[in-house]
């Protein structure tokens, strides 16, 4: 009996070691696309508000980043890597291709800022070189036969319109036309405002690929986000008017303080 208990304890211990080792290993990539108008709403209302470059894109989903994840789909974290020679990474050819689907959305952002940030915060955790990381992003984007993921939504009637809202399964169904099989994808949403419980805004769409970025796979259910799962109808917002630039906001606040 004692031997049996010891045996089972050993098995459990081994299992836990395997699981924890696996969960630190990159095992897939998340290709995370964002709906620019929703990104800008989030940015405008952040604790330290920022503004988007105008005009805000509304005919494309743009890439947020490519995030190496463990086998359950959770993004990996790792120490910030030393900077490579960025001029060698971003050749004119690479830069032109990245700009078409991975443009910086923030006002005043330099064209390479977002790419560098994504490499430091996520890309390096995949244990490749920056060259491989950005080429993989280009390669995954090229696997979208209709060019931009928004074209798949559009052809299913899913567009930005104040009078249209969609069920989550309709949006997922439209995206699944990218694949030859019914692979799972992740959607994230944000509330429209503090009171509305019936409608929400689409924020991001995540497609998953193998670690090499050569074929799509199903996004693992364990890390599936729940922000679009309330049963609320999902909308794609148009670009909203943005608050004025920060400096004028401060002036206004200061002015009010004095009076
Ligand atoms: C939209 O996406 C297509 C296909 O990826 C690209 O060719 C085009 O430049 C993009 N347009 C904008 C405004 O980013
Ligand atoms: C929630 O938002 C939708 C879409 O804008 C709108 O039609 C609906 O009236 C809103 N409901 C509430 C309670 O504000």
């Amino acid at each position: 009996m004692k031997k049996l208990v010891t045996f089972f304890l050993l098995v459990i211990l081994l299992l836990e070691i395997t699981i924890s080792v696996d969960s630190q290993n990159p095992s897939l990539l998340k290709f995370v696309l964002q709906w620019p108008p929703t990104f800008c709403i989030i940015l405008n209302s952040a604790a330290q508000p920022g503004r988007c470059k105008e005009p805000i894109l509304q005919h494309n989903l743009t890439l947020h980043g490519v995030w190496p994840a463990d086998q359950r789909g959770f993004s990996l974290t790792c120490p910030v890597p030393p900077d490579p020679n960025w001029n060698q990474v971003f050749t004119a050819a690479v830069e032109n291709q990245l700009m078409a689907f991975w443009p910086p959305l923030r006002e005043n952002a330099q064209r390479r800022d977002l790419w560098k940030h994504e490499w430091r915060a996520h890309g390096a955790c995949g244990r490749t070189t920056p060259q491989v990381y950005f080429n993989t992003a280009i390669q995954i984007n090229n696997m979208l036969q209709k060019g931009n993921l928004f074209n798949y939504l559009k052809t299913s009637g899913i567009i930005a319109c104040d009078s249209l809202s969609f069920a989550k399964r309709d949006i997922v169904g439209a995206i699944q036309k990218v694949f030859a099989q019914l692979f799972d994808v992740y959607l994230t949403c944000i509330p429209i405002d503090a009171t509305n419980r019936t409608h929400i805004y689409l924020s991001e769409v995540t497609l998953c690929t193998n670690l090499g970025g050569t074929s799509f796979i199903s996004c693992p259910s364990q890390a599936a986000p729940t922000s679009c799962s309330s049963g609320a109808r999902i909308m794609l917002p148009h670009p909203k008017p943005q608050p004025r630039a920060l400096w004028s906001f401060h002036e206004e606040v200061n002015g009010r303080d004095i009076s």
Side-chain angles (χ1 to χ4, degrees), residues 57 59-62 99-101 103 141 146-148 151:
L57 299 179
H59 302 290
N60 276 350
L61 285 145
T62 62
M99 277 306 282
F101 65 95
N141 184 63
K146 292 189 188 184
N148 192 281
N151 295 331

Side-chain angles (χ1 to χ4, degrees), residues 89-242:
V89 175
F90 299 124
T91 60
V94 167
E95 206 165 83
N96 285 338
Q97 291 182 82
L98 293 178
M99 277 306 282
F101 65 95
W102 200 355
L105 301 180
R106 281 172 185 267
E107 187 179 73
N108 302 325
Q110 302 295 310
R111 71 187 350 227
R112 298 176 177 177
D113 286 354
L114 174 60
W115 308 332
K116 290 183 191 172
H117 167 80
E118 292 297 312
W119 162 254
R120 291 179 187 130
H122 299 278
C125 310
R127 303 175 197 166
T128 59
T129 63
Q131 280 87 351
V132 169
Y133 177 69
F134 293 107
N135 280 320
T136 303
I138 293 169
Q139 178 183 307
I140 297 172
N141 184 63
N142 286 340
M143 297 196 306
L144 300 172
Q145 285 175 5
K146 292 189 188 184
N148 192 281
L149 190 75
F150 187 59
N151 295 331
Y152 292 83
L153 294 176
K154 211 163 49 180
T155 51
S156 296
I158 294 163
I159 53 169
C161 176
D162 292 334
S163 59
L164 288 182
S165 62
F166 311 94
K168 183 183 177 189
R169 65 168 179 282
D170 296 333
I171 297 183
V172 169
I175 295 164
Q176 282 173 333
K177 292 183 182 153
V178 168
F179 319 123
Q181 284 163 267
L182 288 186
F183 291 139
D184 287 327
V185 300
Y186 296 152
L187 300 189
T188 62
C189 296
I190 62 162
I192 291 184
D193 57 43
T195 56
N196 201 315
R197 306 237 178 278
T198 56
H199 292 72
I200 51 182
Y201 285 150
L202 180 66
S203 176
E204 295 193 324
V205 175
T206 298
L207 313 180
C208 296
T209 72
N210 61 355
L211 204 50
T214 55
S215 54
F216 289 113
I217 60 170
S218 232
C219 294
S221 59
Q222 291 98 319
T226 54
S227 53
C228 307
S229 307
S230 60
R233 304 276 299 175
I234 301 175
M235 301 179 74
L236 279 65
H238 285 300
K240 306 279 184 204
Q242 301 197 81

